[in-house]
């Protein structure tokens, strides 16, 4: 996102059996030896993606037989404000709206087209009712190509405006939605570099700025901070943002209070994972983290958000799904450090903890409207997939006899995860089908074995032709303790 952005292909080894990880548990093996044996355990989904085009544009040919979509600009701005701005409040919207009523400078077109590309790619395949083209993806590709073309028509490298940084971030996110991950990473690094060049990380650079400009710059820095940490975890990339300015504390005059509170809740979640944690995750830390460090992180990430806090459903989806995903990341890092035990007093340090995370995610998804999840795009689906994927591994090794009263739910997380991941064509193809295939390959999980062709979404949002039967039955298996 941001998550949303935050992005589709996870590059690392997929360890298909958790019993390989725990065959000689922490009670019998030294942490040093375990650290040598374990590999990154984020999922490998890249085999399911098509080759990326060699062109600098979205395809190997610039706008092949594409109609113009410039007429969609006002619609894109409205949709951005309604669905995306609550989680990416980077642009001063009155200034942007005023710019389209007059001839624009090149740097303004650069931002406008990137915003339209971001909005269009996020609308693609969604159930959100909005006037638009037959294909939002085609519109997204059009605006991406126009943005790249505009950049070639002036000296973009010397563009020292906030708009240049935001546009690179929007372009990165749009390419991520199109599964063009090399370009997504390239433009994210471009945004990071340009932001550093403008001193976004240096508090002194904010002195003397107009309040609206300063707020947009602060928010842009922190969205880049969040996104870079997501990439560092998902794709084992190094961190570049070390020095940070103060958090934003104000609102634009047109904003509701939840814009600021929601944004800061997301930032604070990632801020818990400092550079030392990321170094440990990427196996570049000189000193491994302690059990106390991990249990403290889990306690912080498990804190419920204040019920009095006013947030939109879109913000809740971003914050709460990210919260569960970060709990999983911390657990995975604990395991890779050899700190888990079947007899640990703290539940977060046991092998079965992902099952609790899965049930927490189930509560989150069940409490939110479908549109509030799907509008975030592939980034949020990726996080849901990772939790479901790890849940299957733990179920295979530890058994699936989970008393519903343990977590206060009676629904089946796997069923809900598959349905959620089937909300858009891209997410179904890349995540739901992969999760179903993995379950079908595991004989220990009989209840989930079913042909992929049987997952047929119906108009009412339910699933027919065998999907319901595939998720019936009782959990079977053995217990890992904890």
């Amino acid at each position: 996102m941001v998550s949303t952005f935050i992005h589709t292909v996870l590059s690392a080894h997929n360890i298909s059996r958790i019993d390989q990880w725990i065959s000689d548990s922490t009670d019998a093996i030294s942490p040093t030896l375990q650290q040598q044996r374990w590999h990154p355990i984020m999922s490998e989904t890249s085999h399911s993606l098509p080759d990326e085009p060699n062109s600098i544009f979205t395809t190997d040919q610039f706008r092949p037989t594409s109609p113009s979509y410039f007429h969609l600009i006002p619609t894109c701005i409205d949709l951005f404000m309604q669905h995306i701005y609550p989680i990416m409040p980077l642009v001063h919207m009155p200034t942007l709206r005023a710019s389209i009523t007059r001839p624009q400078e090149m740097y303004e077109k650069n931002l406008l087209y990137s915003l339209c590309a971001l909005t269009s790619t996020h609308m693609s395949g969604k159930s959100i009712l909005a006037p638009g083209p037959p294909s939002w993806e085609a519109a997204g590709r059009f605006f991406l190509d126009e943005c790249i073309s505009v950049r070639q028509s002036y000296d973009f490298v010397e563009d020292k405006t906030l708009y240049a940084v935001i546009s690179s971030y929007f372009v990165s996110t749009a390419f991520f939605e199109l599964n063009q991950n090399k370009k997504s990473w390239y433009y994210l690094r471009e945004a990071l570099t340009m932001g550093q060049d403008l001193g976004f990380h240096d508090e002194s650079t904010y002195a003397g700025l107009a309040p609206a400009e300063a707020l947009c710059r602060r928010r842009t820095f922190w969205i880049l901070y969040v996104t870079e940490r997501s990439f560092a975890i998902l794709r084992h990339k190094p961190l570049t943002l070390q020095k940070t300015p103060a958090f934003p504390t104000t609102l634009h005059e047109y904003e509701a209070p939840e814009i600021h509170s929601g944004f800061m809740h997301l930032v604070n979640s990632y801020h818990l994972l400092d550079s030392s944690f990321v170094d440990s995750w990427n196996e570049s830390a000189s000193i491994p983290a302690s059990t106390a460090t991990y249990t403290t992180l889990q306690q912080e990430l498990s804190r419920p958000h204040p019920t009095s806090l006013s947030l939109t459903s879109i913000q809740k989806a971003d914050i709460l799904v990210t919260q569960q995903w970060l709990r999983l990341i911390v657990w995975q890092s604990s395991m890779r450090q050899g700190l888990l035990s079947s007899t640990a007093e703290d539940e977060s340090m046991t092998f079965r903890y992902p099952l609790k995370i899965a049930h927490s995610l189930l509560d989150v998804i069940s409490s939110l409207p479908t549109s509030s999840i799907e509008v975030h795009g592939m980034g949020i689906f990726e996080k849901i997939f990772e939790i479901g994927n790890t849940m299957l591994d733990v179920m295979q090794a530890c058994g699936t006899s989970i008393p519903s009263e343990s977590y206060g739910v009676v629904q089946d997380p796997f069923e809900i995860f598959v349905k959620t991941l089937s909300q858009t064509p891209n997410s179904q193809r890349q995540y739901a089908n992969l999760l179903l295939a993995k379950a079908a390959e595991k004989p220990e999980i009989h209840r989930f074995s079913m042909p992929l062709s049987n997952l047929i979404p119906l108009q009412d949002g339910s699933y027919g032709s065998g999907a319901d039967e595939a998720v019936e039955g009782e959990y079977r298996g053995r217990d890992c303790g904890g």
Side-chain angles (χ1 to χ4, degrees):
M1 244 177 263
V2 153
S3 276
T4 154
F5 156 62
I6 355 205
H7 5 288
T8 355
V9 177
L10 307 179
S11 60
H13 296 89
N14 174 34
I15 301 201
S16 61
R17 294 180 179 273
I18 198 172
D19 50 355
Q20 292 177 349
W21 310 336
I22 63 174
S23 57
D24 295 304
S25 71
T26 52
D27 301 326
I29 290 184
S30 69
T32 302
L33 180 57
Q34 286 182 320
Q35 187 175 8
Q36 293 172 348
R37 293 178 59 212
W38 286 342
H39 299 280
I41 57 176
M42 301 304 287
S43 309
E44 176 59 75
T45 61
S46 58
H47 65 273
S48 63
L49 298 179
D51 293 335
E52 296 185 20
N54 295 320
S55 167
I56 64 171
F57 299 106
T58 60
T59 62
D60 288 325
Q61 293 180 326
F62 176 46
R63 293 198 308 273
T65 64
S66 173
S68 171
Y69 291 96
F70 286 127
H71 64 281
L72 288 177
I73 288 176
T75 300
C76 285
I77 292 176
D78 290 341
L79 290 171
F80 173 84
M81 186 64 187
Q82 181 180 357
H83 298 291
I84 302 177
Y85 188 86
I87 53 174
M88 297 184 190
L90 312 183
V91 180
H92 187 252
M93 295 304 293
T95 302
L96 178 70
R97 291 186 186 276
S99 72
I100 67 173
T101 64
R102 56 169 171 76
Q104 291 182 308
E105 300 291 340
M106 286 299 179
Y107 74 91
E108 293 175 315
K109 290 182 178 180
N110 177 36
L111 174 66
L112 180 62
Y113 297 162
S114 69
L115 182 146
C116 291
L118 169 71
T119 304
S120 298
T121 54
H122 269 70
M123 291 297 295
S124 178
K126 307 301 189 297
S127 63
I128 299 169
L129 297 178
S135 171
W136 276 107
E137 180 176 325
R141 291 178 180 273
F142 171 84
F143 282 116
L144 270 174
D145 289 342
E146 287 295 335
C147 180
I148 295 168
S149 182
V150 163
R151 289 171 170 224
Q152 294 179 322
S153 64
Y154 79 111
D155 194 354
F156 172 73
V157 174
E158 294 299 325
D159 188 341
K160 302 298 183 182
T161 66
L162 169 65
Y163 281 11
V165 183
I166 297 175
S167 72
S168 291
Y169 176 73
F170 284 172
V171 168
S172 172
T173 306
F175 271 119
F176 180 81
E177 289 300 310
L178 295 176
N179 291 332
Q180 296 190 25
N181 294 284
K182 291 180 181 178
K183 288 186 175 69
S184 177
W185 171 242
Y186 172 87
Y187 284 105
L188 175 60
R189 289 302 300 234
E190 183 177 80
L192 290 165
T193 300
M194 296 182 78
Q196 288 178 309
D197 187 50
L198 293 176
F200 285 9
H201 60 288
D202 186 351
E203 182 63 31
S204 66
T205 64
Y206 294 87
L209 292 177
E213 174 79 6
L215 179 57
C216 289
R217 286 184 177 228
R218 288 188 193 278
R219 286 178 175 175
T220 300
F221 172 87
W222 285 107
I223 205 81
L224 291 173
Y225 177 95
V226 165
T227 306
E228 184 186 40
R229 269 159 173 68
S230 290
F231 265 84
I233 293 169
L234 291 171
R235 289 149 180 82
H236 300 277
K237 301 295 186 181
L239 294 178
T240 61
L241 298 181
Q242 302 291 342
K243 185 178 179 181
T244 62
F247 290 133
T249 58
T250 58
L251 287 167
H252 293 302
E253 68 282 356
Y254 61 88
E255 291 179 338
E258 57 263 24
I259 295 297
H260 171 73
S261 57
F263 183 80
M264 289 312 304
H265 266 72
L266 182 68
V267 170
N268 285 327
S269 294
Y270 278 93
H271 204 42
L272 291 171
L273 307 186
D274 58 17
S275 58
S276 62
F277 175 87
V278 175
D279 288 343
S280 178
W281 173 262
N282 288 332
E283 300 179 345
S284 58
S286 57
I287 302 176
S290 65
T291 299
T293 297
Y294 286 113
T295 55
T296 300
L297 280 174
Q298 291 288 10
Q299 290 169 4
E300 291 294 327
L301 289 170
S302 298
R303 292 183 187 276
H305 293 277
T307 55
S308 60
L309 191 64
S310 176
L311 297 174
T312 68
S313 61
I314 292 174
Q315 290 175 312
K316 288 179 181 178
D318 194 17
I319 293 167
L320 296 177
V321 172
T322 296
Q323 181 185 35
Q324 307 314 315
W325 175 72
L326 290 175
R327 291 170 69 191
L328 177 70
I329 294 302
V330 173
W331 177 86
Q332 289 178 334
S333 185
S334 303
M335 188 183 67
R336 290 165 58 186
Q337 294 293 332
L339 300 177
L340 299 186
S341 170
S342 60
T343 59
E345 293 184 4
D346 193 302
E347 185 179 14
S348 68
M349 301 304 292
T350 66
F351 298 113
R352 295 173 61 86
Y353 192 58
L355 301 179
K356 181 170 185 177
I357 296 172
H359 280 78
S360 296
L361 179 61
L362 169 63
D363 287 341
V364 170
I365 293 175
S366 300
S367 69
L368 295 168
T370 299
S371 59
S372 68
I373 296 175
E374 68 179 15
V375 73
H376 292 276
M378 297 297 282
I380 201 167
F381 291 130
E382 182 178 51
K383 294 171 184 176
I384 294 170
F385 168 80
E386 279 305 326
I387 294 173
N389 185 55
T390 305
M391 179 189 73
L392 288 182
D393 285 331
V394 174
M395 287 166 63
Q396 182 190 23
C398 297
T400 56
S401 55
I402 312 168
S404 61
E405 60 270 15
S406 298
Y407 305 126
V409 296
V410 295
Q411 289 178 294
D412 174 32
F414 183 84
E415 175 187 9
I416 300 302
F417 294 167
V418 168
K419 288 183 177 181
T420 302
L421 294 173
S422 301
Q423 288 177 5
T424 72
N426 282 345
S427 63
Q428 179 172 1
R429 178 174 59 254
Q430 188 162 329
Y431 294 130
N433 288 354
L434 191 60
L435 206 60
L436 283 165
K438 179 170 183 173
E441 292 171 356
K442 292 179 178 293
E444 296 87 347
I445 309 176
H446 301 290
R447 63 179 296 174
F448 299 143
S449 299
M450 62 173 290
L452 296 185
S453 59
N454 284 358
L455 183 68
I456 302 175
L458 305 178
Q459 290 183 350
D460 63 358
S462 63
Y463 289 73
S465 301
D468 290 338
E469 291 81 351
V471 293
E472 291 178 352
E474 296 298 326
Y475 286 127
R476 299 182 180 87
R478 47 198 168 78
D479 189 12
C480 288

